Amino acid sequence: MKKLTTLFAATALATLMAGSAWSKTFVYCSEGSPEGFDPGLYTAGTTFDAAAHTVYNRLLEFKKGTTETEPGLAESWTISDDGLEYTFKLRAGVKFQTTEFFTPTRELNADDVVFSYERQLKADNPWNKYVTGASWEYAAGMGFPEVIKSVEKVDDLTVKFTLTRKEAPFLANIAMPFASILSKEYADKLQAEGKMNQMNQMPLGTGPFAFVAYQQDAVIRYKANPDYWGGKQKIDDLVFAITTDASVRFQKLQAGECHLMPYPNSADVQAMKADPNLKVMEQAGLNVAYLAYNTTQAPFDKPEVRKALNKAINKQAIVDAVFQGAAQPATNPIPPTMWSYNDTLQDDTYDLDAAKKMLEEAGVKDLSMKLWAMPVSRPYMLNARRAAELMQADFAKIGVKVEIVSYEWAEYLDKSKAKDRDGAVILGWTGDNGDPDNFLDTLLGCNAVGGNNRAQWCNQEFDALVKKAKETSDLAERTKLYEEAQIVFKREAPWATLDHSLSVVPMRKNVEGFVQSPLGDFAFDGVDIVE
Amino acid sequence: MFRFLLGRLAVLIPTFIGVSIIAFSFIRMLPGDPVALLSGERVMSPERHAEISHALGFDRPIVIQYFDYLWGVVQGDFGMSIVTKKPVIDQFFELFPATLELSLCAIIFAIVLGIPAGVIAAIKRGSFVDQTIMGTALVGFSMPIFWWGLLLIMLVSGILQWTPVSGRISLMYFFPPVTGFMLIDSLLSGQAGAFKSAGGHLILPPIVVGTIPLAGIARQTRRRCLKCFWETMCARRVPRASRPSVSSASMRSEMR
């Protein structure tokens, strides 16, 4: 504690000196406290914004504003012909941050990469259990323990990953925050001093901002990393002012106490747009809300019936009532900001007469069904009960009786998985890595039936396309396969695609260079304040 | 006074045990699986579910879990936060001084305004002043404070721009926590303007937190005062020396 205090005092002095007129401080009113600062341990976006996008880099990075990958700490890579060996050439001369608590003596090398992965993958790595209850949830969720056979150092600047199976989304997966590259030298020092916990409290990496201090539930401070391989940032200090209430964030933004805020109340957005000191960015988020029929049960096993019901859903009304416009009706199962989104597809038009006729033609009479409404508010569906009531009213007009059911959230998730579940379920998904595979195969593939595939939909044609795309590393070819898969999806209609919610980012007018991420990240490299 | 305190303390222990049983069983008896909630929409494999349940101790009988929890609490071990993976007690003490500081300021605010308001209302019983004070107190007492807080932020911080919107001190100031009390730490830091900034951040929050106690205190004070005015009048026959003075009697009643 004593040491920590000295450290605080030293940084305080440094901050005070740097706090003179010419230092540029950017304040971000973040929505919550990070769970910790080791991105591998956690799954929340809040944690990734605070740890991964400031302090750390990955081998590959997402190109700003897209879901495509670009070179990060790896300058280039080759993939063996059988698709199982990925060899990465690391960028030379990448320096780790020099901070009050650690001075690196060497540059980034292959050891750091091997360490960063092995701590998550190997149970016998001393860092695998360095935090009580460490479970490396995200690596497990992306299948890394099964997919990655080994991570080896070839030479100082070359790392070879060997996979157990062909996995095209692998390149997108390693660009994700949990796959951040840590410093092995720093880790070794902490281990030798018996202070391993510090890795999760005072992070040190190669990223654009170096960690300075964290006051729990209040403030996180960073300073621009002068040695950053991508060049020093235009702002000198970055501050996260943790403000959990969206209305208070808005007040702070208006008062000029912060420059940018995430997740506004949808009711405040109009006022934000009207404020002459603010500007507002909007983009479809990496999410989808859907209504999944149980395609194994009559009459929902018939595509005509599903399509008829889809035509009776007024998506615009749902978007207006539930999101006050801060969403867009969904046509495809993937959001429009994702590569391979098939924009030639037309959505089912809202037409009650046609829907009624289609049902009659399919021989369905006096249908009554259960409609499952989630008990919680999620970014892709703020109020499922309201949406369910709107659908209920519309379905009544075509002679379909709807009973709305709901359960406690964990139970809802569990019960809705069952293969013999009755009725249709409202649920959604927020993407992880910006790869279409993460929606199409994860939510609609045959092997997800009884799990994430709430429609229990196993269509051989769709599944073959998606599985083939998973094993194809050529991007153009993968794009084609996914576009075709979406055509099959739309024809067979296992879901009614409901909406993609918009991610709305209000900021002060003088903020420049902020790029909205379709992945929902908040990253402040490249941001500037102009006076 | 000593007996009074001892009696209170004797009640405290069974209360705490009762509260711990109720809180523990409510959380565990409500439907919903805490492990499944960790993964949200992402479906967890049954093996992984079992592994995490085991690591967190959810696979043991609930009674054992309760005693394990209680034994830990007695030893000052409140367990690890599932979210931050840090000891709960450490996180509690990191933030507790802020709560204490705010509560003290709120209590001072409530007492300093509440008691005179109650006394004035009692003296002017039935008058316009009395009714205004008691009416306002009723409104204050019924106010949902989260909403009251937002309203005050919008008016005082937003429109009038008199006080900062939130936080404990301006982000410009940055010094190590010594006592955890921002008012004291800002003085100790020796940084010019730090104390003023910390003070500015401690205007609206005590008003908001103190509103309900203030209303309660005002109403109680009025009631007790009226009662002892009446008692004092009845006690005319009692020798002056042993007669309770209005203020001390009312104060003692306040303490009960």
Side-chain angles (χ1 to χ4, degrees):
Chain A
M1 198 61 212
K2 180 103 197 260
K3 214 168 226 169
L4 203 66
T5 319
T6 329
L7 162 72
F8 270 122
T11 20
L13 191 68
T15 320
L16 200 65
M17 285 174 0
S20 31
W22 55 82
S23 103
K24 258 188 199 175
T25 303
F26 184 90
V27 182
Y28 168 58
C29 272
S30 65
E31 76 284 9
S33 305
E35 299 153 296
F37 286 93
D38 182 342
L41 292 170
Y42 305 104
T43 56
T46 308
T47 303
F48 295 150
D49 292 339
H53 304 305
T54 49
V55 176
Y56 294 113
N57 290 123
R58 272 66 45 196
L59 288 177
L60 270 64
E61 300 278 0
F62 289 108
K63 204 184 287 174
K64 278 212 168 256
T66 74
T67 58
E68 290 155 37
T69 53
E70 64 176 10
L73 293 178
E75 211 167 36
S76 62
W77 54 91
T78 52
I79 305 170
S80 66
D81 291 336
D82 61 5
L84 296 180
E85 280 181 20
Y86 286 69
T87 310
F88 295 92
K89 194 90 197 139
L90 301 184
R91 204 175 284 276
V94 173
K95 289 195 171 77
F96 280 99
Q97 296 144 1
T98 302
T99 62
E100 304 287 341
F101 51 90
F102 183 71
T103 308
T105 64
R106 65 165 176 81
E107 291 169 351
L108 170 89
N109 69 29
D111 291 328
D112 300 310
V113 179
V114 174
F115 163 71
S116 302
Y117 279 86
E118 284 195 342
R119 83 190 204 288
Q120 305 197 38
L121 300 175
K122 289 198 167 170
D124 59 353
N125 187 293
W127 287 85
N128 189 262
K129 290 268 174 283
Y130 84 100
V131 167
T132 323
S135 62
W136 313 104
E137 210 47 56
Y138 226 127
M142 302 313 286
F144 271 22
E146 299 94 57
V147 171
I148 300 180
K149 195 171 163 189
S150 66
V151 186
E152 291 159 284
K153 170 181 181 173
V154 177
D155 60 52
D156 259 6
L157 290 179
T158 316
V159 193
K160 190 174 85 183
F161 285 68
T162 311
L163 308 190
T164 54
R165 60 164 193 253
K166 279 189 183 179
E167 177 90 356
F170 179 66
L171 287 177
N173 290 345
I174 62 170
M176 289 172 61
F178 77 88
S180 293
I181 304 301
L182 280 56
S183 161
K184 181 159 194 307
E185 194 193 2
Y186 180 49
D188 287 344
K189 177 177 172 267
L190 294 181
Q191 195 179 347
E193 291 171 2
K195 293 193 299 196
M196 288 165 91
N197 256 321
Q198 192 179 314
M199 183 63 95
N200 195 26
Q201 288 150 10
M202 301 169 120
L204 184 119
T206 56
F209 298 99
F211 176 83
V212 175
Y214 171 44
Q215 286 160 274
Q216 197 189 328
D217 297 345
V219 190
I220 318 171
R221 289 168 196 278
Y222 311 86
K223 62 176 166 50
N225 172 11
D227 305 321
Y228 185 48
W229 56 271
K232 190 186 171 291
Q233 297 302 307
K234 290 175 192 141
I235 51 174
D236 303 295
D237 297 291
L238 174 66
V239 174
F240 280 33
I242 298 165
T243 316
T244 47
D245 188 294
S247 316
V248 178
R249 285 202 292 278
F250 177 33
Q251 291 297 331
K252 280 177 89 88
L253 187 69
Q254 274 190 315
E257 288 177 32
C258 50
H259 295 98
L260 189 142
M261 67 171 270
Y263 314 115
N265 284 331
S266 44
D268 288 338
V269 173
Q270 285 312 317
M272 288 167 173
K273 286 179 180 165
D275 190 320
N277 296 318
L278 305 181
K279 59 182 175 185
V280 176
M281 280 188 180
E282 281 177 331
Q283 188 182 58
L286 197 71
N287 61 55
V288 65
Y290 57 80
L291 178 75
Y293 303 103
N294 187 343
T295 58
T296 61
Q297 298 213 326
F300 306 109
D301 53 342
K302 290 187 193 156
E304 310 85 65
V305 175
R306 305 193 292 255
K307 284 182 89 75
L309 292 171
N310 284 2
K311 279 183 96 64
I313 297 174
N314 187 350
K315 296 178 189 177
Q316 192 59 49
I318 294 177
V319 163
D320 292 341
V322 176
F323 294 90
Q324 276 129 52
Q328 63 184 70
T331 304
N332 290 339
I334 60 174
T337 46
M338 188 176 265
W339 59 268
S340 86
Y341 180 84
N342 192 334
D343 51 15
T344 62
L345 285 167
Q346 290 292 318
D347 200 12
D348 313 294
T349 43
Y350 171 60
D351 185 342
L352 292 173
D353 294 333
K356 200 168 180 177
K357 218 171 130 206
M358 281 170 78
L359 271 188
E360 276 164 18
E361 280 167 9
V364 175
K365 259 188 241 159
D366 304 325
L367 176 64
S368 58
M369 63 185 284
K370 278 188 180 158
L371 210 161
W372 294 48
M374 301 140 48
V376 291
S377 173
R378 305 289 288 161
Y380 49 76
M381 178 50 73
L382 300 179
N383 186 342
R385 181 157 279 272
R386 183 93 183 87
E389 283 164 3
L390 288 168
M391 286 189 244
Q392 186 182 36
D394 271 336
F395 284 0
K397 288 179 200 150
I398 59 165
V400 177
K401 247 197 234 150
V402 168
E403 182 198 347
I404 299 174
V405 294
S406 192
Y407 299 93
E408 185 280 331
W409 182 223
E411 222 180 327
Y412 185 92
L413 290 168
D414 191 48
K415 285 193 170 173
S416 59
K417 284 190 303 199
K419 284 183 192 162
D420 58 351
R421 179 208 75 222
D422 54 353
V425 166
I426 299 179
L427 203 63
W429 185 255
T430 303
D432 300 296
N433 57 0
D435 197 291
D437 177 74
N438 184 239
F439 279 73
L440 298 176
D441 190 39
T442 309
L443 302 177
L444 293 158
C446 282
N447 43 350
V449 167
N452 277 323
N453 189 338
R454 263 36 185 221
Q456 318 299 347
W457 183 64
C458 180
N459 178 294
Q460 298 306 329
E461 190 186 356
F462 178 89
D463 200 58
L465 287 166
V466 173
K467 292 292 187 296
K468 191 173 169 208
K470 205 186 185 72
E471 296 186 348
T472 309
S473 41
D474 181 65
L475 192 68
E477 209 176 313
R478 282 189 76 199
T479 306
K480 258 195 209 137
L481 291 166
Y482 286 131
E483 282 172 354
E484 263 180 71
Q486 288 166 66
I487 295 173
V488 179
F489 169 87
K490 210 63 202 164
R491 191 186 70 217
E492 297 291 325
W495 294 350
T497 48
L498 299 178
D499 67 80
H500 308 292
S501 72
L502 292 178
S503 127
V504 181
V505 184
M507 64 195 85
R508 303 286 298 178
K509 267 255 162 67
N510 59 4
V511 172
E512 263 181 20
F514 179 80
V515 182
Q516 223 183 334
S517 154
L519 295 147
D521 303 330
F522 286 84
F524 300 101
D525 47 320
V527 167
D528 196 8
I529 309 164
V530 290
E531 289 311 330
Chain B
M1 192 65 186
F2 183 68
R3 269 189 71 146
F4 169 77
L5 281 179
L6 212 64
R8 281 284 144 124
L9 275 178
V11 179
L12 202 64
I13 292 166
T15 309
F16 269 143
I17 293 178
V19 165
S20 76
I21 291 178
I22 291 173
F24 187 87
S25 41
F26 266 22
I27 290 176
R28 297 312 313 277
M29 282 186 322
L30 288 172
D33 170 3
V35 178
L37 275 178
L38 281 180
S39 66
E41 288 93 334
R42 281 164 191 78
V43 171
M44 206 183 250
S45 72
E47 299 83 50
R48 184 131 194 98
H49 186 278
E51 194 183 309
I52 294 176
S53 295
H54 181 71
L56 296 174
F58 287 134
D59 53 350
R60 299 167 307 162
I62 189 153
V63 179
I64 306 271
Q65 288 183 44
Y66 173 73
F67 281 109
D68 185 52
Y69 156 76
L70 198 66
W71 181 235
V73 167
V74 171
Q75 292 170 308
D77 173 12
F78 285 79
M80 287 287 207
S81 157
I82 293 180
V83 176
T84 61
K85 318 233 189 284
K86 281 195 254 176
V88 169
I89 194 81
D90 289 3
Q91 295 201 282
F92 173 78
F93 279 115
E94 216 168 299
L95 297 175
F96 186 62
T99 310
L100 207 59
E101 185 175 43
L102 172 58
S103 309
L104 284 175
C105 293
I107 289 171
I108 293 172
F109 165 77
I111 292 176
V112 164
L113 285 186
I115 292 181
V119 172
I120 292 170
I123 294 171
K124 311 229 168 199
R125 181 161 58 111
S127 72
F128 175 73
V129 175
D130 176 28
Q131 277 164 9
T132 309
I133 291 177
M134 285 305 106
T136 314
L138 183 66
V139 173
F141 199 73
S142 329
M143 191 78 88
I145 63 163
F146 53 89
W147 183 68
W148 174 226
L150 269 181
L151 283 187
L152 278 186
I153 289 179
M154 280 176 182
L155 176 70
V156 182
S157 311
I159 298 170
L160 299 172
Q161 306 222 333
W162 287 350
T163 64
V165 177
S166 77
R168 297 181 69 194
I169 192 165
S170 159
L171 295 168
M172 288 298 294
Y173 302 101
F174 176 44
F175 41 79
V178 181
T179 60
F181 293 95
M182 197 50 94
L183 287 176
I184 301 176
D185 286 356
S186 59
L187 277 179
L188 292 178
S189 76
Q191 293 180 25
F195 180 74
K196 197 178 153 211
S197 171
H201 283 79
L202 257 179
I203 296 173
L204 276 195
I207 292 179
V208 172
V209 176
T211 297
I212 290 181
L214 161 64
I217 288 174
R219 289 170 63 86
Q220 287 245 339
T221 310
R222 176 180 179 274
R223 199 159 55 84
R224 298 288 179 179
C225 277
L226 288 177
K227 200 175 155 219
C228 53
F229 289 161
W230 186 78
E231 279 170 355
T232 322
M233 282 186 278
C234 295
R236 278 277 155 80
R237 296 266 180 101
V238 176
R240 184 166 268 273
S242 52
R243 193 187 296 163
S245 79
V246 170
S247 58
S248 80
S250 72
M251 289 325 289
R252 206 168 325 127
S253 320
E254 273 312 293
M255 302 300 288
R256 290 227 172 95

